[in-house]
Amino acid sequence: MEERDVRFVRLWFTDVLGFLKSVAIAPAELEGAFSEGVGFDGSAIEGYARVYESDMVAHPDPSSFQMLPWRTQSNTARMFCDITLPDGSPSFADPRHVLKRALDKASDMGFTFYIHPEIEFFLFKPPVVPGIEPTPLDMGGYFDHTTLGDGTDFRRDAIQMLERMGISVEFSHHEGAPGQHEIDLRYADALTMADNIMTFRVVMKEVAVSQGIEASFMPKPFTNHAGSGMHTHMSLFEGDNNAFYDAADQYRLSKTGKQFVAGLLHHAAEITAVTNQWVNSYKRLVGGGEAPSFICWGRNNRSALVRIPMFKPDKASSARIELRSIDSAANPYLSYAVILAAGLSGIEHEMELPEEAADDAWSMTDRERRAMGIRNLPHNLDEAIREMENSELVAETLGEHVFDYFLRNKRAEFEEYRRHVTPHELTTLLPRL
């Protein structure tokens, strides 16, 4: 910090819904922050504590130290924090601790959990006005290589900023919808990746503001265009060996990998409220647009919830599975915790992988899907909440406090949404009734 003339240190953590929180301290206070933490009022943070149990302490994680490259006028660094109670015990409401607890269980089983996300988002022309459909920054399409101007420049500048913060980018491209872009982060362990995703969102918004545009991770801003997801590739390693790889299997997928997928499929409905937590998330999951609607798996099948990529079938380190439902607006700590718990449940209970959905699940009839045992993902947030509230796996993974708060918050969101009269109703019904 002395070498870089750091003037401010921002301590970052997230609330239960995945919104970033921050407090700035002077460098002289950092030694005390390491030894004693920084106290704050937890009752003011979404889902953290009730008024009569409000004292919380933020402990910075020195391994997450990075300079903020957009703060050029006064050198500023950031560190992620672990949140504890005053007695030093982990906070029951800290999403980072929820993921750490899930990773500890995986470690006890001999596994390390690695993640590689494909993060989609939209760029809009200002101003973005609540209640009015936004204007996309460009009219490009999937993988378009044209002079798209601002969008192409944005991705270049954003990637350079991510790299300066130690976040490795694998590749980037224009996505299928107007103004929609994708940046894929190079794989890392799940905790590092969750921190990286939180940083990624900040970087996208900071670069956008600096260029006079707006970035959004809203799952489905346009009715007639695909929404933004965060297709997540994942694998378990036992030391240096990929536990998902089996050279003798036709899919190159080991028994462990198949059981992990079976666990994901078995628990898919009950974890969806966490991986797709907004009422708008279910506008994306209606089918088409490469977003899954049905609980099935396949290889080169992009309608499947879980896909087995076959890009490098004989490379052991590349063996992985891809979950295609998760939103880029999800809380990454909670989402990866429940995803991991679902997969580990499949391993623990030696679940059998169901038959592969070789055909496009969207084009099959309901009868054909039922015959194959293919269930629907929840159709809306209300259905997802009902699945989650009966889930022992989600309750155990999140812990009682986060589980109860999350459900209360999501019920309130859906009830507010249910009362709202939409433009669609006014357009279709008002002239006729």
Side-chain angles (χ1 to χ4, degrees), residues 61 121 207 221 279 298 308 388:
D61 178 353
F121 56 94
V207 174
V279 289
I308 313 300
M388 176 178 162

Side-chain angles (χ1 to χ4, degrees), residues 279 382 386 411-422 425:
V279 289
D382 181 53
R386 294 176 190 275
R411 287 192 198 102
E413 180 183 345
F414 187 76
E415 286 304 310
E416 181 181 1
Y417 171 73
R418 201 157 65 101
R419 290 193 299 268
H420 183 69
V421 178
T422 66
E425 294 164 88

